[in-house]
Each structure stands twice: as C-alpha cells, then as structure tokens.
Amino acid sequence: MVSFTDAERDALYKAIYARRDIRRFRSDPVPEDALDRLIQAAHHAPSVGFSQPWDLLVVREDETKAEIAGIAERAIAAAREGYEEPRRSEFAQLKLEGIREAPINICVTCDPTRGEPHVLGRSSMRETDVYSTCLAVQNLWLAARAEGVGVGWVSVLYPAEVRDVLEIPAHIDPIAYLCIGYPEGGFPEKPVLETEGWRERLEVDELVHEGGWGDE
C-alpha cells in the first residue's frame, strides 16, 4: 500500500495550483531523463477499461515545427475574426503558441480502436477514450511543473492538417499539441489569461451542486 507523507501531499497540491499554460520558452534543452519522466507520467494516467488509447509523437525538427506553427497562425487569424471590437484587438495581443521557440513539441493522440471490439466502460459513452487521453496530458503537465518545465497546449489548430504533417493514420485523432521547455521569465503567479483580464477564475462554490443540479 502506497501512502504519502504530509510534505508529499502538499507537494502534489502545490504542483496542481502552480501549473500554468506557458507560451514563452527559453532555448536551452530539456534533459532526456526529465523528458522520459514526463512521458512515463503521461503513460500512467487512468484510462477507461485500461485501454491506454494515447500515443505521444515527439517533435524536435525545426522544419516540422515551422509547418505546425504555420497551421496555428492561420487558425489563430481565423479565430480572431470571430470577435467584435474591442475583444478582437485584445485577442490579437495574446500570445497563443510557442511552437517554434519550445525545444520540444509533443502531439498526444487518441486511438479509438485500441482494445476494440469491447473496451470495458465504453459501450454507452464512446468518447471516454478522448477523456482518458486528456488525463494523460494532465499527468504530463503536472509532472512537468514539478520538474520546473513549462508546457503550453496549442488548441487553435486544424487537426486534419496536423495529421497530414505528422503522418498520423486516418483513424487516429490528434488531441493535444504541446510545447515543452523551460519558461522564459519563470512561471507566472496567476494564469496569463487571468492576469491579462481575459477571464477571471470562477468561484468553486458556484460550480458544486449537492444531490442535483438545482440544489444548494
């Protein structure tokens, strides 16, 4: 039976509360042993039916990064047009990706066929394979924070184009494109979008319901 000391418990919560979405990276490399620990953490995420539907594609080549960054730039430009002023100008000031700057990129994918035809727990909720893959992303993210390594999730992309660049098989879905490296200027005290006034953190009491949705 595994148990935790008070200090170990506190360290876990510290990593959770101090995790940040990083967009600006230093150029110095992440040591291979640290990268391996992050990948191992991702692979030890919980998954429905122990299906482990994830794969992790490690991208280091500048040419490949540039292709993915080009996709992101077009997707970000299109997203910007969906806002009215002044929100459009505020959006334009946000840095939403660090693909070229980060020494390592990782694309986390989901294979919905892994373990088929019968994956325990997926018969009535097919999308639980994607949820499981997101848990692998979160494991990697928290482990990275404990290592002092920054992670940025680039969500403004066109998945089909990412699939083509990385030669991902048609039946496998790109879920998360992550930029990984040491953060330029360290980790911010608060999430960047909160600091820059884009969104405020909601009060947790507003999001917890006892017994039913309308109950307090």
Side-chain angles (χ1 to χ4, degrees), residues 91-145:
F91 180 92
Q93 296 302 311
L94 298 173
K95 181 172 174 55
L96 299 180
E97 54 87 13
I99 295 169
R100 290 185 176 90
E101 300 96 318
I104 296 171
N105 295 180
I106 293 181
C107 182
V108 185
T109 64
C110 176
D111 181 352
T113 68
R114 190 164 294 163
E116 290 285 8
H118 303 294
V119 176
L120 191 153
R122 278 190 68 205
S123 58
S124 59
M125 294 182 64
R126 302 294 298 172
E127 64 274 16
T128 50
D129 57 344
V130 175
Y131 304 159
S132 299
T133 303
C134 290
L135 293 175
V137 173
Q138 183 73 334
N139 263 22
L140 185 151
W141 214 332
L142 293 176
R145 184 62 187 88

Side-chain angles (χ1 to χ4, degrees), residues 176-196:
Y177 196 89
L178 307 177
C179 304
I180 296 176
Y182 292 105
E184 183 181 279
F187 291 89
E189 289 293 320
K190 293 182 177 181
V192 171
L193 293 183
E194 183 178 3
T195 301
E196 298 193 2

Side-chain angles (χ1 to χ4, degrees), residues 26-32 34-35 60 101-104 149 180-182:
R26 306 199 314 253
S27 60
D28 43 317
V30 176
E32 288 301 314
L35 178 61
R60 305 175 193 264
E101 300 96 318
I104 296 171
V149 174
I180 296 176
Y182 292 105

Side-chain angles (χ1 to χ4, degrees), residues 35-45 139:
L35 178 61
D36 183 63
R37 288 192 292 271
L38 303 189
I39 291 172
Q40 289 290 344
H43 186 53
H44 282 76
N139 263 22

